[in-house]
C-alpha cells in the first residue's frame, strides 16, 4: 500500500509538472486514470480523474480510429514494450486536436499486457506550422521551377546547388554541369570584381541584397548580358544559408544599345565632317568684299 501510494503521488506530481496529458490505462478493467493536464488540454472533467476506456476511444477521429486501434493491438500482440501513434482527438469544445501519444506497455508474469502508461502531447500548432512551411516550400518550388526568370540557389562556397530550366536555357549548361561550377567560373573577368564586392557587403551585413548588370560566359563561350538580383536566405540562427540569384537576359537590349551608340557616334562624326567641310568651302569675309 505504501509503494502504491508513493507511485500514485509520483504520477500526480509528474502530471502537474508537465503540459502533457499523462494517462494510466488498466487494460483488465478498461479504466484510464488521467493527470490534471488532461482536463486543461481537452476540457473534460471526470470524477477522481478516471474515465472509461470506451469513452476515450470514442474521442479519436473516425478517420483515424481504425489505425489507432490497430496500432495498439499490434504492439500488444508483438510483445512490444513501447507504443507511439499520432492521431486527432476530440476536445470538449467540439474541435479536434492533433496529438502525439506515447506509452510503455506493462505485462504480467505470463507476458500478458495489463497496463499502459503514457503521455498525450498536443501538437496542433506544430502541425499547422509544418503544414504552412510545407505549403510555403511548395509555392517556392513552383515559382522557382516555372519562373520566366533564370533562378538559382548558390551556397556559401559559391557553388550552384539548384537552378531552374530558364537558367539552363539562358546560359546553356545542364543542371549537372552547373553543380560542378561556381558562379566565379562563368562570370566574365571584367565583371567579377564588382560581383565579389557586392557579395562581401552582404556577408558583412552591410546590405541585404544587390542588383547589377553583368556578363556570364555561355557554354558556347559567347557572352550573355544579364540583369542579376541577389538576396540571402538565412537559417533560424540568422546565418546565411544560401544566396538566391535571379537573372534576366538583357543581351538583346545591350545589343540594341550598342548599335544605337555606334549610330550616334557615326552621326556625330558625319556632322563634324560636314561642319569642317562647310568651314573650308565657305568664302572668307575678304573674298566676299572683293566680289562686291
Amino acid at each position: 500500500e505504501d509503494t502504491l501510494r508513493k507511485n500514485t503521488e509520483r504520477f500526480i506530481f509528474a502530471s502537474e509538472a508537465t503540459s502533457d496529458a499523462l494517462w494510466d490505462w488498466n487494460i483488465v478493467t478498461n479504466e484510464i486514470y488521467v493527470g490534471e493536464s488532461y482536463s486543461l488540454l481537452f476540457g473534460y472533467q471526470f470524477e477522481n480523474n478516471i474515465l472509461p476506456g470506451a469513452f476515450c476511444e470514442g474521442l479519436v477521429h473516425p478517420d483515424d480510429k481504425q489505425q489507432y486501434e490497430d496500432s495498439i493491438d499490434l504492439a500488444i500482440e508483438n510483445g512490444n514494450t513501447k507504443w507511439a501513434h499520432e492521431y486527432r482527438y476530440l476536445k470538449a469544445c467540439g474541435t479536434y486536436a492533433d496529438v502525439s501519444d506515447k506509452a510503455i506497455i506493462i505485462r504480467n508474469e505470463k507476458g500478458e499486457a495489463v497496463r499502459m502508461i503514457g503521455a498525450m502531447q498536443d501538437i496542433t500548432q506544430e502541425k499547422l506550422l509544418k503544414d504552412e512551411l510545407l505549403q510555403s516550400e511548395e509555392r517556392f518550388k513552383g515559382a522557382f521551377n516555372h519562373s520566366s526568370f533564370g533562378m538559382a540557389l548558390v551556397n556559401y562556397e559559391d557553388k550552384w546547388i539548384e537552378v531552374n530550366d530558364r537558367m539552363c536555357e539562358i546560359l546553356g549548361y545542364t543542371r549537372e554541369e552547373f553543380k560542378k561550377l561556381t558562379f566565379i567560373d562563368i562570370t566574365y573577368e571584367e565583371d567579377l570584381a564588382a560581383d565579389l564586392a557586392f557579395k562581401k557587403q552582404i556577408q558583412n551585413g552591410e546590405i541585404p541584397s544587390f542588383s547589377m548588370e553583368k556578363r556570364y560566359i555561355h557554354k558556347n563561350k559567347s557572352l550573355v548580358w544579364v540583369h542579376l538580383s541577389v538576396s540571402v536566405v538565412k537559417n533560424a540562427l540568422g546565418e546565411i544559408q544560401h544566396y538566391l540569384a535571379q537573372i534576366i537576359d538583357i543581351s538583346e537590349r545591350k545589343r540594341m544599345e550598342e548599335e544605337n551608340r555606334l549610330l550616334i557616334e557615326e552621326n556625330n562624326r558625319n556632322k563634324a565632317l560636314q561642319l569642317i567641310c562647310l568651314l573650308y568651302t565657305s568664302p572668307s569675309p575678304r573674298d566676299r568684299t572683293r566680289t562686291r
Side-chain angles (χ1 to χ4, degrees):
E1 289 178 359
D2 186 58
T3 301
L4 179 61
R5 178 182 59 80
K6 289 180 179 179
N7 288 340
T8 302
E9 287 179 351
R10 290 193 187 100
F11 185 91
I12 293 173
F13 292 149
S15 178
E16 292 176 351
T18 181
S19 59
D20 297 348
L22 302 185
W23 52 270
D24 183 349
W25 177 29
N26 186 324
I27 297 176
V28 178
T29 63
N30 199 25
E31 291 181 334
I32 302 175
Y33 179 83
V34 294
E36 295 297 327
S37 296
Y38 179 87
S39 297
L40 296 175
L41 285 178
F42 306 116
Y44 300 104
Q45 299 289 339
F46 295 92
E47 185 177 355
N48 298 323
N49 282 22
I50 296 177
L51 61 144
F55 177 84
C56 184
E57 291 178 2
L59 300 178
V60 178
H61 193 284
D63 293 342
D64 301 338
K65 188 174 182 181
Q66 190 62 53
Q67 285 190 350
Y68 165 82
E69 293 176 350
D70 290 345
S71 68
I72 294 178
D73 292 341
L74 187 63
I76 291 175
E77 291 173 5
N78 289 344
N80 297 352
T81 58
K82 293 182 179 180
W83 167 84
H85 197 64
E86 290 185 6
Y87 55 92
R88 287 165 288 180
Y89 196 73
L90 183 64
K91 301 169 67 173
C93 64
T95 63
Y96 280 92
D98 288 289
V99 299
S100 174
D101 205 353
K102 298 178 181 180
I104 59 170
I105 301 172
I106 301 173
R107 301 176 182 273
N108 59 20
E109 296 82 358
K110 299 179 182 179
E112 300 169 335
V114 293
R115 288 173 67 190
M116 286 181 67
I117 299 176
M120 300 170 68
Q121 182 181 21
D122 187 343
I123 59 171
T124 304
Q125 291 302 317
E126 181 183 335
K127 291 268 288 188
L128 286 174
L129 290 174
K130 284 183 178 179
D131 290 342
E132 289 178 4
L133 179 60
L134 181 61
Q135 291 175 18
S136 177
E137 289 177 347
E138 290 300 320
R139 287 193 294 268
F140 174 79
K141 287 179 181 178
F144 184 91
N145 291 325
H146 301 99
S147 175
S148 59
F149 300 155
M151 297 186 70
L153 294 176
V154 182
N155 67 16
Y156 205 77
E157 288 74 36
D158 305 329
K159 284 187 173 293
W160 308 89
I161 56 177
E162 190 62 57
V163 296
N164 69 354
D165 289 340
R166 182 58 180 150
M167 180 70 82
C168 295
E169 291 173 7
I170 293 174
L171 298 181
Y173 303 94
T174 65
R175 281 185 166 87
E176 292 70 25
E177 289 170 334
F178 264 112
K179 291 181 179 181
K180 297 176 182 178
L181 300 168
T182 68
F183 82 86
I184 295 175
D185 295 331
I186 60 174
T187 295
Y188 185 55
E189 58 183 0
E190 292 183 9
D191 301 333
L192 183 57
D195 204 340
L196 292 176
F198 279 125
K199 179 191 171 187
K200 186 175 181 180
Q201 286 181 285
I202 281 186
Q203 290 175 339
N204 293 338
E206 299 172 15
I207 56 174
S209 60
F210 72 87
S211 297
M212 66 178 293
E213 292 183 357
K214 63 174 287 187
R215 286 160 288 187
Y216 279 116
I217 302 171
H218 193 278
K219 184 179 179 180
N220 64 14
K221 305 306 179 184
S222 65
L223 294 180
V224 180
W225 272 101
V226 303
H227 178 87
L228 169 69
S229 298
V230 176
S231 56
V232 296
V233 179
K234 297 183 178 180
N235 59 23
L237 299 176
E239 301 168 335
I240 296 176
Q241 189 171 5
H242 47 247
Y243 304 93
L244 175 63
Q246 300 181 71
I247 67 170
I248 303 173
D249 187 348
I250 58 172
S251 298
E252 183 63 21
R253 194 197 82 193
K254 283 291 186 179
R255 184 186 64 78
M256 293 178 64
E257 288 177 354
E258 180 64 14
E259 288 181 356
N260 288 336
R261 185 184 66 80
L262 294 174
L263 286 172
I264 291 171
E265 288 181 355
E266 183 66 22
N267 188 47
N268 289 337
R269 281 195 296 270
N270 290 337
K271 287 182 178 179
L273 289 172
Q274 291 173 4
L275 181 59
I276 292 171
C277 291
L278 183 62
L279 290 173
Y280 277 100
T281 57
S282 297
S284 66
R286 183 176 299 176
D287 292 336
R288 287 196 294 271
T289 302
R290 289 174 181 173
T291 302
R292 287 197 298 270

